[in-house]
Amino acid sequence: MFDFDQYLGFLAFLTILTLGFWLMIFLLTFVIPYWIGGALIERLKEMREEKKAKRQNS
């Protein structure tokens, strides 16, 4: 059915496909939400500091 080199190519294709699939799952479930959450927290801190500075100047 397959020659040995075709079999190795097919295994390499499946390995790369599987690695890409799990990388996308990891990025979508952990990295991107962590990045967005961190950006929101930093923005809230900046907004609090702006309010605090505005109150002190008034």
Side-chain angles (χ1 to χ4, degrees):
M1 186 171 147
F2 280 133
D3 291 335
F4 187 68
D5 57 343
Q6 287 178 324
Y7 178 70
L8 287 179
F10 180 69
L11 283 180
F13 169 75
L14 282 181
T15 302
I16 293 168
L17 183 73
T18 304
L19 287 172
F21 171 76
W22 287 114
L23 178 64
M24 286 301 295
I25 294 296
F26 174 72
L27 288 174
L28 290 174
T29 57
F30 294 108
V31 175
I32 293 175
Y34 181 78
W35 178 40
I36 292 172
L40 287 174
I41 290 170
E42 288 297 319
R43 181 64 184 136
L44 289 173
K45 285 181 184 177
E46 289 174 7
M47 290 171 62
R48 284 188 200 134
E49 288 175 5
E50 288 172 7
K51 279 185 181 179
K52 193 175 185 181
K54 192 183 267 189
R55 271 191 243 141
Q56 287 178 352
N57 289 339
S58 297

